[in-house]
Amino acid sequence: MTIAELIAKKDEALQEAAAAQTPEEVEQVRIKYLGRNGLLPAIVKGFKDVPKEDRPAFGKITNQWRQELEAALAGKKADGDTAATGPAFDPSLPGRWFVPGSKNPISRVMEETAAIFSRLGFSVADGPDIETKFNNFTALNTPAHHPSMDPTDTLWLTDELLLRTQTSPVQIRTMTANKPPVRIITPGRTYRRDTTDATHSANFHQIEGLYVDVKPVSLADLKSTLTYYAQEMMGPRCKAIRFRPHFFPFTEPSVEVDFQCHVCGGKGCRVCKNSGWIEVAGAGLVDPRVYRFVGYDPDQVWGFAFGMGVERIAMIKYGIPDIRWLYENDVRFLDQVK
Ligand code: DAH
């Protein structure tokens, strides 16, 4: 056998080892080359017939062959061993527990509110977070000297654009695009330059409501609508709402709305600071000047509007003491509000 033939045989053996799939095939390759009557022992036995000058090379190649082949076969055997023990999945182990998530109370309040008002014929309207000065202020009868236009609590992007300070501009968008009657609620984000503490956040949420019709709509309609909402939202202990006189530029008359305390039913407790009432919303009858801005005839339409803080409702409904918990997405907190 020449050196070239020896190398060719070695390559062949290694290829066979690589191709072996089953433990039986691996064993066959081992017997064929390394077994007592295998090819390698035969080659070693034939050393004496190899020309003297070729013997060192012959010895070296044969040794390498044996080592490489043994290593290849050992690797195959290890693969086979893992395969033989079956898949890594052990059905007898206890399972891993996946806790289902829950909705943030802010989403919950917005969705529930939409559901309650939809039973009264209101649909949901949407508006952008970036608003025009006209929609957010001017058309809401809020003139340039009004304190709410102040750059210290309004986030202006340009002279004409701002992050909306309230959801009320959606009233303007809705009336401009639709003829009366309109009946909408509009939940969404609002922005003010507030520093964050337990009850304030620069980004918060409001739900706005608007009902305008071509027949008389009165404060009594506003009261019955919000009473129904209060009872549905806060539960059976909240039986009534009350109005207190207030001022908003875009309603006349304007009121602040208190819900009867849903915890004590009005008797007085820690939640309502012993008053029996909790302040929840601003509201009123739409100011005739607003109708002029949207192209409605103030003598032909009547309507009411209201605006509520979503965080505030969530906090009183679920007893959440700190507004920041609503934004932290801590499942230990969210789990408790399920
Ligand atoms: N936009 C008012 C605010 O952010 C809340 C409000 C008051 C909305 C009276 C109304 C309303 O629609 O009629 O303080």
Side-chain angles (χ1 to χ4, degrees), residues 165-166 168 171 192 206 208-209 248 250-251 282-284 305-307:
T165 60
Q166 49 192 354
S168 309
Q171 290 188 32
R192 287 181 202 172
Q206 289 187 335
E208 190 87 6
F248 296 104
F250 38 91
T251 41
F306 56 88

Side-chain angles (χ1 to χ4, degrees), residues 182-219:
V182 296
R183 236 193 234 102
I184 53 131
I185 63 151
T186 163
R189 287 176 181 274
T190 49
Y191 305 82
R192 287 181 202 172
R193 230 201 70 170
D194 261 334
T195 29
T196 305
D197 63 21
T199 54
H200 294 84
S201 161
N203 170 211
F204 57 105
H205 300 73
Q206 289 187 335
I207 300 172
E208 190 87 6
L210 174 71
Y211 170 42
V212 179
D213 211 333
V214 290
K215 59 184 190 204
V217 173
S218 72
L219 277 183

Side-chain angles (χ1 to χ4, degrees), residues 275-333:
S275 72
W277 298 94
I278 299 174
E279 182 192 325
V280 174
L285 298 183
V286 179
D287 193 302
R289 290 178 201 221
V290 174
Y291 292 135
R292 282 197 200 101
F293 278 109
V294 299
Y296 284 8
D297 178 351
D299 293 328
Q300 302 299 318
V301 293
W302 294 262
F304 64 68
F306 56 88
M308 315 182 277
V310 178
E311 280 82 347
R312 176 147 180 81
I313 294 175
M315 287 168 78
I316 58 172
K317 176 164 179 170
Y318 299 112
I320 300 163
D322 193 320
I323 198 171
R324 290 166 291 199
W325 294 5
L326 291 167
Y327 309 122
E328 284 169 355
N329 275 338
D330 186 332
V331 287
R332 291 169 303 180
F333 161 66

Side-chain angles (χ1 to χ4, degrees), residues 25-105:
E25 286 169 358
V26 172
E27 180 62 8
Q28 272 167 20
V29 177
R30 194 190 67 74
I31 292 168
K32 178 173 173 188
Y33 293 102
L34 302 171
R36 196 150 16 117
N37 300 313
L39 188 56
L40 269 168
I43 289 172
V44 172
K45 255 184 229 152
F47 252 43
K48 54 184 187 311
D49 304 326
V50 175
K52 241 202 175 101
E53 63 275 21
D54 285 348
R55 276 188 202 159
F58 248 80
K60 197 176 162 199
I61 293 164
T62 332
N63 271 336
Q64 272 174 2
W65 181 350
R66 177 181 292 279
Q67 281 166 12
E68 284 171 32
L69 190 60
E70 278 173 350
L73 293 175
K76 284 278 168 180
K77 187 156 186 307
D79 288 353
D81 285 350
T82 6
T85 57
F89 174 68
D90 179 353
S92 68
L93 287 173
R96 276 185 223 169
W97 201 249
F98 286 99
V99 182
S102 58
K103 272 202 180 126
N104 189 289

